[in-house]
Every structure is written in C-alpha cells, then in structure tokens.
Amino acid sequence: MAPTLATSFARRWWMAVTAVIENLLFSAVLLGWGSLLIMLKSEGFYSYLSSLNISNASSSEDDYLEMNGWPICKDQDEMLNLAFTVGSFLLSAITLPMGIVMDKYGPRKLRLLGSACFAFSCLLMAYGASDPNNLSILIFFALALNGFGGMCMTFTSLTLPNMFGDLRSTFIALMIGSYASSAVTFPGIKVIYDLGATFISILLVWAGCACLLFLNCFINWPLEPFPAGHVALKKPTLFPHTQTFSHQSFIKSIFSSIFLLSLITMCVTQLRLIFYMGAMNTILESLTEGDLSTVSVYSSIFGVLQLLCLVTSPVIGQVMDWRLKDCEDDNDKSAKREPGQPRRRTKQIQKIINATRAFIFTNLLLVGFGVTCIIPNLHLQILSFILHTIVRGFIHSAVGGLYAAVYPSSQFGSLTGMQSLISALFALLQQPLFMAMVGPLDGDPLWVNVGLLALSMLGFCLPAYLLLHSRHLQRLQDERDEDPKIYVKMNNGSQPEAFV
C-alpha cells in the first residue's frame, strides 16, 4: 500500500538522506568505467578473443599481455567499450521519455522499476563472470540495465526537493552532487576487489542493496507526483494529485528564451567537460612524455576528486535559494508594509537574480578551467581536475534550480530530459575534436582548447538575458506599485475632471 503525500511529507528528511546515499551507490556509476573495465578484464570477459588471436598468430604467446591469468588484447578492449557505449548512451538518451513518464505517473513506479533493473543487472554480471568464455555477451544487457536503472534513480530523486519549499534548489543541488559523485563507486568497489573479495560476491551484495532500495521506495514514496514545494509546506494534507500545464504549455516552455539559452550553455559546457574526460590520458601522456605510471597516478587523483561534486554542488544551491525567505510570495496581495516603505521583491524576481549569479559564477569557473588547460604544466592539471569537477556539479545544479524556479513543476522532468538529450547529442562532437588532436595536431591539444575556450564565452548569454529579464520584471512591479488610481468626477459643469 503506497503512502499518501501527507505521510511522505512527514518522512521527507528520511527520504532525502536515503536518496543521497542511493544516488551515490546506484545512479551514474558507469562514469567510473575505468575501474570496472579492469575488473571485467581480470574476470576474463571476452578474453577468448585474445585466445583466438594467440592461436591464429604466427608470433609467440609472449607478445600478449595477461591480467589475473586471462589474456587481454585490443579486440577485447573494443568489445567491452562497445558494451560501455550502450550503457552510457542510455544514461543520456533515455532522459526525455523518462521525464515525460515521470511527469505523468509520478516517481514511485519509475523508481521501483529502476531499482529492480539495477539489481537484475548485478545478477546478470555475476552470472556472466561465472563462465566468461560462454556468457560474456551478458555484459551488454547488464550495462544497459545498469544505465537505465541508474538514470531512474537520478530522475526520480530530482522531484523530492519539491517537499522542501524555499530550500528546493539546495536539495536539487545535493541530489545532482550525489549523482555526479557516483563515479567513485566503481573505484571504491575495485579497492574491495583488490583486497581479495570475489567479483561475484561483490555483485551479489550490491544486488541485495538494490533490493533494499526497492523496499525503501515501496514503503515511503507516494503514487502521486510531488507538488510544488510551497503547496506542500503550507497544506500537507491538501496535496493536489496532479499539476496541469495551464500556466504554460510544454511547447511554449521549449521555445522560451530561457530554455533555449540554457540549451546553449549546457551544450557548450558538456562538450568542454566531456572532451577533457575523453582526452585526459592523451593530454597527460603528452605532458609526461609517455610516462604511463605518472598518467595512472594522475588518473586516480582525478577519480577521487569526483567526490567534490557532493560537497560543492549544494553551494550553488544556496546561491539559488539566497534571500528567498525575505521575499514576498508572487501572488500574495495581503502583505502589509509601513506607509512609504518600498515593497519587497517577489520570489520570482529573486529566483531569477539568484540564477543569474549562479551562472555567472559557473561560467567564470569554466573559463578558468579552459585557461588552465591551455597552460602545458603537469602540476597545474590538479587545478584543472578540481575546476572540472566543480563546474560539472555546478552546471547541472544551476540548470536544475533554474527550471524549478521558472517552469511549472509538472514540466521539470520533461524539460530536463530534453535538455539532457540535446546536450548529449551535441557532446558527440568531442569525437571529431579528439581525432583532430591525435591526427593533424600530432597530439597537441592547444588549438582545440583555445577553440573550446572561445566557445565557452557563449555561456554568458544566459546570465545576461536573465539580468535583463529580472530588471524588466522589477520595473513592471515598481510601475504597478507606484501607478496612482485615476478617478473622474463631474463638476457643476458638464466637463469631467480627473484627480488623484
């Protein structure tokens, strides 16, 4: 029996804490692919491709490498990376239909489905590891279910902050930070694996944890979508079951200036961040003159720093929620103030001003990141790692907070899904950029980084528009407050006379 919205509202702090933990363990864990790849090769997934190459080759077996007693080769890497491509593609491509489904049916059913898919993905992976020579194909299905289940966790958790009123942007940032930090999950599992735990036992325990997630959702998450936060806080027992598009149609929201400019900002930022992630090892090799041990150390540092997303993302959420408690509700006509005292800002105007500051700050960090990428200094790359991690958490939190502030909550999932899908498609440009870097540019990333730095300047279009938009709204509010009422009275004569 699903709980009512009022019951879920009373349990909102428990749901928020567990959602953060669940995001860390089950959302975008595929972003830690490097560590999973090592474990899969150590367990012999697709190692028979290497064995076939050895038997068909004229050279000796000493020309081939082994990992944990299993042969490894280029064909194996290509096959496993193809499986990763399938899973990571679902992390982005499924966002739009998932958002539409969630807006219509609420988060409960989608979260239950996601947790079940994640648990099943762990079982498939464990079953494949029991006989990799015959069952390696299961890794494709396992990673596809892993990507789908992880995105279910992420999307449904983004609706939970509606229960926290003026702190909604802060909690959205916290959820996004835990999602971005989930890239450390597989590196953490690899540590356990290196300590002697078997791969199959780790996956079985992980599947059991996913079952606990299913149980937690079944007990605490309601059937109805979470309404806007202010409604939830004021009248928890009178929740509306659904929210309609009466305020603004979905099509109108898509073609609004704010959404289109946010698309430009996200596309540019995603391309900048993803290109660095894909080319990082190549860039580090050029800076270390091919010292692979140093490259491995710096890659590990980059992985550990992903936890910064969990710490830094709520900072931008605080910026988005700044001084909202001191503002008047947009439709509150009963607010009293002393004669001559100016009216306080409405929450709508304050939210737009806060979003302007958040995007200016984020874009300045992105430009700083671009500058550090241009300077060919190995030690400076640590600063690049930090800025990369902070920007990755900030940009998702800022966009999520902006959509929550400007658009109806019933459109949040659909708009976020549309933005995620389009920015993911645009980020595919990183592949030709990478090919240009390793080809015509002979591994030198300078001109690619210069071009991306120039492209990053487009990110300032959104805060510039938000600044003008907030001033326009403030001017309309001032005119409405100061405009005197004109009354007309008739004198003894026939001519009307206006007076204030």
Side-chain angles (χ1 to χ4, degrees):
M1 184 69 180
T4 63
L5 279 168
T7 302
S8 296
F9 175 78
R11 303 172 182 173
R12 66 191 184 280
W13 285 101
W14 166 260
M15 296 169 67
V17 172
T18 54
V20 169
I21 298 174
E22 290 164 358
N23 278 350
L24 281 171
L25 296 177
F26 303 102
S27 58
V29 294
L30 280 181
L31 296 179
W33 167 250
S35 298
L36 176 60
L37 178 61
I38 295 175
M39 290 186 286
L40 292 177
K41 294 168 76 172
S42 298
E43 291 297 314
F45 278 84
Y46 283 108
S47 62
Y48 64 84
L49 296 176
S50 304
S51 301
L52 292 175
N53 287 335
I54 292 175
S55 62
N56 295 330
S58 59
S59 58
S60 65
E61 295 186 13
D62 293 336
D63 294 335
Y64 293 86
L65 300 177
E66 288 189 354
M67 183 176 292
N68 197 27
W70 295 92
I72 59 176
C73 66
K74 181 181 178 180
D75 291 341
Q76 179 192 31
D77 289 334
E78 292 178 352
M79 189 63 71
L80 290 175
N81 276 292
L82 180 60
F84 167 70
T85 301
V86 173
S88 59
F89 175 77
L90 286 176
L91 275 174
S92 299
I94 202 68
T95 50
L96 178 58
M98 187 179 296
I100 295 174
V101 170
M102 187 179 68
D103 287 340
K104 184 175 182 179
Y105 297 105
R108 176 185 170 89
K109 295 179 180 178
L110 198 59
R111 195 170 183 85
L112 290 173
L113 176 62
S115 58
C117 288
F118 195 97
F120 191 52
S121 74
C122 293
L123 295 177
L124 280 179
M125 213 179 304
Y127 185 51
S130 66
D131 186 10
N133 287 329
N134 297 312
L135 300 175
S136 292
I137 188 65
L138 293 180
I139 194 64
F140 280 85
F141 301 100
L143 295 186
L145 289 172
N146 187 288
F148 174 77
M151 189 48 64
C152 287
M153 299 300 104
T154 304
F155 250 58
T156 53
S157 67
L158 291 179
T159 64
L160 185 59
N162 284 343
M163 305 285 277
F164 291 90
D166 291 337
L167 295 176
R168 178 168 56 178
S169 293
T170 299
F171 276 90
I172 287 177
L174 188 61
M175 298 302 166
I176 292 176
S178 59
Y179 151 80
S181 297
S182 64
V184 304
T185 301
F186 273 127
I189 288 177
K190 185 178 178 298
V191 171
I192 300 174
Y193 180 77
D194 291 339
L195 290 176
T198 64
F199 188 62
I200 294 178
S201 63
I202 293 174
L203 291 172
L204 291 179
V205 171
W206 208 4
C209 293
C211 293
L212 293 178
L213 188 157
F214 184 96
L215 182 62
N216 182 51
C217 176
F218 186 82
I219 294 175
N220 295 302
W221 286 66
L223 282 172
E224 301 89 341
F226 296 119
H230 302 295
V231 177
L233 286 172
K234 289 181 179 180
K235 295 184 178 181
T237 59
L238 298 177
F239 285 127
H241 286 269
T242 59
Q243 290 186 332
T244 67
F245 290 84
S246 58
H247 295 91
Q248 189 178 26
S249 69
F250 180 59
I251 298 299
K252 184 177 180 180
S253 297
I254 290 178
F255 289 101
S256 65
S257 298
I258 290 179
F259 183 75
L260 293 177
L261 289 174
S262 72
L263 275 182
I264 295 175
T265 301
M266 280 300 299
C267 287
V268 170
T269 305
Q270 283 285 80
L271 178 60
R272 168 75 270 199
L273 297 178
I274 290 179
F275 171 78
Y276 186 79
M277 294 182 70
M280 183 180 66
N281 282 2
T282 303
I283 294 173
L284 291 175
E285 287 177 11
S286 66
L287 294 176
T288 59
E289 298 180 352
D291 187 353
L292 296 182
S293 61
T294 303
V295 172
S296 178
V297 171
Y298 273 77
S299 298
S300 299
I301 294 174
F302 179 79
V304 172
L305 287 175
Q306 300 308 299
L307 277 175
L308 278 177
C309 290
L310 186 59
V311 179
T312 58
S313 293
V315 174
I316 211 69
Q318 287 291 327
V319 174
M320 297 291 290
D321 289 334
W322 183 254
R323 299 184 66 179
L324 286 182
K325 292 183 178 180
D326 299 331
C327 300
E328 295 180 2
D329 288 335
D330 300 328
N331 299 319
D332 187 5
K333 298 181 180 180
S334 61
K336 297 181 180 179
R337 58 183 186 274
E338 297 296 330
Q341 180 183 1
R343 182 181 178 181
R344 294 178 296 171
R345 281 186 183 139
T346 64
K347 289 188 176 182
Q348 180 189 15
I349 296 176
Q350 186 64 45
K351 288 176 180 178
I352 295 175
I353 293 174
N354 292 346
T356 305
R357 295 167 179 166
F359 280 103
I360 290 175
F361 185 40
T362 302
N363 286 316
L364 288 175
L365 291 176
L366 182 64
V367 171
F369 168 70
V371 172
T372 60
C373 290
I374 292 176
I375 302 174
N377 182 280
L378 179 61
H379 300 296
L380 190 62
Q381 296 311 302
I382 299 295
L383 179 59
S384 297
F385 295 167
I386 296 174
L387 291 175
H388 180 281
T389 303
I390 293 175
V391 170
R392 191 163 67 90
F394 274 19
I395 191 65
H396 289 289
S397 302
V399 171
L402 176 65
Y403 290 172
V406 175
Y407 299 108
S409 60
S410 58
Q411 297 180 8
F412 182 84
S414 302
L415 291 174
T416 303
M418 177 69 75
Q419 170 267 117
S420 180
L421 176 60
I422 295 176
S423 60
L425 291 174
F426 186 80
L428 292 176
L429 291 174
Q430 67 92 16
Q431 181 63 20
L433 290 177
F434 180 79
M435 294 174 64
M437 184 187 72
V438 299
L441 298 177
D442 295 326
D444 185 1
L446 176 62
W447 291 111
V448 176
N449 284 327
V450 169
L452 290 174
L453 177 60
L455 193 64
S456 299
M457 298 301 175
L458 291 176
F460 289 99
C461 294
L462 177 59
Y465 177 81
L466 291 176
L467 181 63
L468 295 176
H469 186 55
S470 63
R471 289 180 177 177
H472 174 69
L473 293 179
Q474 185 66 55
R475 185 167 60 252
L476 291 179
Q477 177 184 320
D478 294 340
E479 291 176 355
R480 184 174 64 250
D481 291 343
E482 295 175 2
D483 187 27
K485 294 181 179 180
I486 304 299
Y487 298 93
V488 177
K489 71 173 183 179
M490 297 297 294
N491 287 334
N492 293 334
S494 60
Q495 296 297 324
E497 178 182 346
F499 76 104
V500 179

